[in-house]
Amino acid sequence: MSITEREAGRLCLRGDEEGGEGAFSALMTVERLQGCAPVDSAPDTIGVLIIAQGALSRSGIAAMLSSRPGIRVLGGADDVVSVPAGGEPRPDVLVLCLADGSRAEFEKLGRTREAFHGSAILLVMGTLSAGGIQRALKADIAGVISDDASADELVETIRRLSWGESIVGTDVAVMGSAQTRNPLTPRESEILGLAAEGESPEETAAHLHLSVGTVRNHLLSTVQKAGARSRLDAVRIARRRGWL
């Protein structure tokens, strides 16, 4: 069970003190999450912003963090693009939750780094794959942990990141070190990656200016090299082994 699922299960939704209309109120275009510390929190607290899909996910994390001394949850959003530019106060630590290690998900990391270059970024990864972990480790961010980390581990990681340390969770480090040699050629990796994103051979051929037959031959080669039963199985194996 993930951090979010554990904490969301015991989240108590409260009405707004003034209007009494639900559990959340707006702070510009970013959510002010119920349970967050008031604006006049002590200046030595750690300001945290949560970027995660789904209000329940963000609220579960916020409820857990807000119960710990010295941490102030500033708010949350689905994506960094929802956060007002130049908003104050800026977070000391930004918690970014990614569903998996796909290239599409890691585009969120790129946007986050551009918008919050002065904040320590903690990447919380959902589905762990060798490929996703390799992307995370190469991204040169402050911290990476698994969504299966305990609440205490999440809090301790946030505190240490605020002190300027770099943290890689134990399970993330173990899987990252287990990456196997990639037998795919750059072209095969590119074509299999596009297939993993849902492109048909015809679409990939047009995209890369290749013939459909050439694309199909490359895909057949990736299936054989991976020892897979099908193209979908090859994608699964390649992701697990860190080839994609």
Side-chain angles (χ1 to χ4, degrees), residues 183-185 187-193 195 215-228 230-231 233-235 237-238 243-244:
L184 306 181
T185 66
R187 179 64 88 183
E188 288 169 347
S189 295
E190 181 180 27
I191 290 175
L192 188 61
V215 171
R216 292 186 185 280
N217 286 338
H218 281 304
L219 288 172
L220 178 59
S221 178
T222 62
V223 169
Q224 292 172 340
K225 289 181 177 180
S230 65
R231 187 184 311 163
D233 193 34
V235 169
I237 292 171
W243 303 345
L244 290 181

Side-chain angles (χ1 to χ4, degrees), residues 17 40 104 112 121 126 130 133 141 145 153 165 175 195 197 238 242:
E17 292 182 354
D40 59 352
T112 302
I121 296 176
I133 289 173
I141 56 178
I145 63 172
E153 183 179 353
E165 296 184 31
M175 183 171 283
E197 293 172 6

Side-chain angles (χ1 to χ4, degrees), residues 91-95 116-122 142-143 161-162 165:
D92 299 300
V93 177
L94 189 147
V95 177
F116 292 93
H117 53 81
S119 304
I121 296 176
L122 172 58
L161 294 188
S162 73
E165 296 184 31

